[in-house]
């Protein structure tokens, strides 16, 4: 198994031709356009569905609040930042944006808040108004007990606590879920294309024509790199679509809290280094899966064999996906480290665990070395058996038989 | 330049598929590799081009082992095809680029060969195609010119696909051309188009190795041959020498009455007979002349008397048949 420079002759031409044809394909172009459109409309749709868009056309401040206090407690309604003016039960209720009524029954205070329907005030402000009423009543109670304003301010100083219990795990889980779906999506698409493409070349009887000009290793590597580049272009289109979508949501709805909430799981987790780690891990993972797919594909002689050839790649991809999702729910430092080093799993797990601070860069680096070693092993196996398998015709050669061929076991 | 193939050997498990194949081309021309199906021709070619690992032997081109990276080889494989769904022009430019031909030069060569092979209409948008005009019956002699979109490979007939594939073998202007069954499946018109090009390549001092079952074609082009049967070389050498070795043993005789009696007396063997036209197998010129003398003496009107060497087809059938009988 040798990898001399000659083995990569023609690689660049295979790569550019494959990429050119991928981009020329009508179905691929249609897919790119559809993905872009979906990404573009996603934020406005999420904003609308999550209620963030209800403020559309409505005011986000209350001009006047009509306040009726039927309790014995002298309540001073605090509406800073929400309402411009509070009218204390002297005006006519219908002419105000909101109504606040306090009553007292059996020693308990009851509040009632309501927005006037015809004033065009955003409906979500009722929540904030209710919170302010509750706080105003509490403050009035404290004052009646002799608390000074300064004491009250001290009591209400904001406290910032980082929660690492149940909610923290849930956030990691969502980050893991999104990243695992991304890895699986890209890997499945690349692996399927590679297998189809390799078998198509064999079935179309192009193999000999190509082999007289290109080393078989360049043939498979050129395809893989072209597919990875195509996937990156697809990813870039999606990202641009999402960014434009965010801008679009902002233009249509002003602030887009719905969309912001949807992305909150990722906020802060993926800094530039985390993104770099994710991209490198993803590339190494896709390369490994694609090489396995190429080796499985080259053992096929008919298009009907392709479904069988996809089995191993899909098994590895699905297995990695399921385990990574499970790991998203279970937070264990030791397990995170071990799983981040296991080939075929590390592509899913290591980048997320690094982003969430569960593993350090050292572990990521080791996982890359292991991934690169596995990819190199696959490449060496390709170098040894790919040429013979390209010419081979007959029933599908299983991956175990391919390994036997590569390592020169008897009976292979 | 020269090509030397020495002791090529290939085994699959216990089965030998090529056994000790050797031949040499010291000057430009056409060398024929002939053989029955499964005799080892394609395997030999694949080993020569480095697609298959050799179990033994070597292939020397200009004094060094043949390397497809340094030797400009044009190869038309027996198993040939095109990408069914990619534009033909893109494919041709790609195949040319793999042989080191730049895009502009490739396009110029493709236009040249497209014209020569009469496949322009499948490659170029602007290629005008004469199509029968509507109501052609009433306005016979009129035809309108229409343009059509360049086609994909799977929209072409088998013959036209084969001409495109033939073009791929010549795009790099190769010095060594290997054609594995170049004419199989072609109609007579397209066969003549390809034959004309092969003749030109021979005239321009190219080295050609041809494998074919069409003996007439091989006979026309080849100077030297190797006949393989079940992995072994059963006959090898210069075609004219081989034929000369067999002698003039085929006698074609056309007369105007039945001459069976004279044929029997001469000892010649009747291969076929149809309306006083006989194909006879004789032992040599002496036997043929004896028969001719008898006919003249008997005043038999002779229309055709042709004594010739056996055809390659006959040599092939006889030689391979001999081997099979021995076994």
């Amino acid at each position: 198994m040798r990898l001399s420079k000659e083995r990569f002759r023609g690689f660049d031409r295979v790569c550019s031709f494959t990429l050119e044809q991928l981009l020329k394909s009508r179905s691929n172009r249609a897919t790119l356009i559809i993905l872009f459109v979906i990404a573009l409309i996603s934020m406005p749709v999420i904003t609308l569905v999550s209620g963030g868009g209800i403020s559309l056309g409505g005011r986000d401040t209350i001009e006047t609040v009509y306040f009726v206090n039927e309790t014995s407690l002298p309540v001073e309604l605090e509406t800073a930042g929400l309402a411009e003016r509070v009218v204390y039960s002297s005006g006519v209720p219908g002419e105000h944006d909101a109504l606040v009524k306090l009553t007292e029954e059996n020693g308990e205070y009851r509040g009632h808040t309501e927005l006037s329907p015809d004033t065009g005030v955003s409906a979500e402000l009722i929540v904030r108004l209710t919170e302010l009423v509750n706080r105003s009543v509490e403050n009035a109670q404290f004052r009646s007990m002799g608390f000074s304003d300064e004491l009250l301010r001290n009591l209400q100083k904001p406290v910032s606590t980082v929660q690492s219990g149940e909610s923290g795990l849930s956030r990691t889980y969502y980050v893991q879920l999104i990243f695992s779906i991304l890895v699986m999506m890209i890997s499945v698409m690349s692996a399927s294309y590679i297998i189809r493409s390799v078998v198509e070349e064999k079935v179309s009887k192009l193999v000999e024509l190509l082999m007289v000009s290109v080393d078989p290793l360049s043939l498979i590597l050129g395809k893989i790199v072209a597919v990875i580049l195509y996937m990156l272009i697809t990813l870039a289109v999606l990202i641009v679509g999402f960014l434009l979508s965010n801008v679009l949501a902002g233009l249509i709805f002003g602030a887009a809290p719905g969309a912001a909430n949807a992305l909150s799981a990722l906020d802060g987790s993926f800094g530039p280094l985390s993104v770099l780690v994710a991209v490198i891990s993803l590339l190494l993972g896709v390369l490994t899966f694609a090489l396995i797919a190429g080796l499985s594909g080259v053992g096929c002689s008919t298009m009907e064999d392709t479904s069988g050839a996809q089995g191993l790649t899909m098994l590895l991809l699905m297995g990695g996906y399921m385990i990574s999702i499970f790991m998203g729910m279970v937070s264990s430092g030791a397990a995170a480290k071990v799983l981040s080093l296991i080939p075929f799993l590390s592509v899913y797990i290591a980048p997320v665990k690094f982003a969430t601070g569960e593993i350090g860069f050292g572990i990521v680096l080791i996982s890359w070395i292991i991934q690169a070693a596995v990819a190199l092993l696959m490449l060496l196996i390709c170098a040894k058996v790919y040429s013979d398998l390209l010419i081979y015709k007959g029933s599908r050669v299983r991956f175990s038989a391919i390994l036997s061929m590569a390592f020169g076991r008897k009976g292979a | 330049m020269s090509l030397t193939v020495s002791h090529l050997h290939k085994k699959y498990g216990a089965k030998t598929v090529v056994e000790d194949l050797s031949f040499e081309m010291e000057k430009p021309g056409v060398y024929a590799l002939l053989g029955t199906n499964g005799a080892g021709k394609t395997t030999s070619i694949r080993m020569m081009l480095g697609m298959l690992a050799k179990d033994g032997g070597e292939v020397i081109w200009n004094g060094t082992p043949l390397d497809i990276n340094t030797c400009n080889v044009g190869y038309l494989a027996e198993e040939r095809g095109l990408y069914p769904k990619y534009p033909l022009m893109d494919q041709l430019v790609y195949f040319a680029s793999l042989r080191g031909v730049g895009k502009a030069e490739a396009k110029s060569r493709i236009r040249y060969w497209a014209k020569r092979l009469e496949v322009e209409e499948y490659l170029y948008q602007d290629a005008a195609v004469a199509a029968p005009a509507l109501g052609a019956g009433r306005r016979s002699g009129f035809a309108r010119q229409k343009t059509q979109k360049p086609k994909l490979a799977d929209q072409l007939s088998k013959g036209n696909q084969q001409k495109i594939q033939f073009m791929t073998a010549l795009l790099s202007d190769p010095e060594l051309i290997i054609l594995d069954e170049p004419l199989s499946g072609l109609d007579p018109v397209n066969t003549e188009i390809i034959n004309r090009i092969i003749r030109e390549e021979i005239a321009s001092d190219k080295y050609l190795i041809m494998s074919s079952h069409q003996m007439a074609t091989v006979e026309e082009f080849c100077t030297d041959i190797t006949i393989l049967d079940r992995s072994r070389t059963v006959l090898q050498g210069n075609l004219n020498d081989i034929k000369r070795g067999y002698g003039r043993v085929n006698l074609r005789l056309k007369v105007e009455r039945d001459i069976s009696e004279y044929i029997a007396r001469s000892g010649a063997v009747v291969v076929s007979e149809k309306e006083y036209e006989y194909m006879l197998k004789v032992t040599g010129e002496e036997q043929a002349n004896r028969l001719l003398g008898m006919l003249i003496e008997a005043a038999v009107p002779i229309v055709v008397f042709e004594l010739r060497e056996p055809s390659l087809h006959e040599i092939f059938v006889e030689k391979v048949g001999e081997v099979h009988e021995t076994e």
Side-chain angles (χ1 to χ4, degrees), chain B residues 82 114 160 201 252 288:
Chain B
L82 295 163
N160 284 321
E201 293 298 315
R252 181 175 159 231

Side-chain angles (χ1 to χ4, degrees), chain B residues 228-248:
Chain B
L228 298 171
D229 183 52
R230 298 182 199 175
S231 80
R232 275 177 290 178
T233 302
V234 292
L235 185 68
Q236 189 171 62
N238 179 275
L239 186 56
N240 287 335
D241 292 346
I242 290 171
K243 282 187 170 186
R244 220 170 286 134
Y246 274 83
R248 294 180 182 173

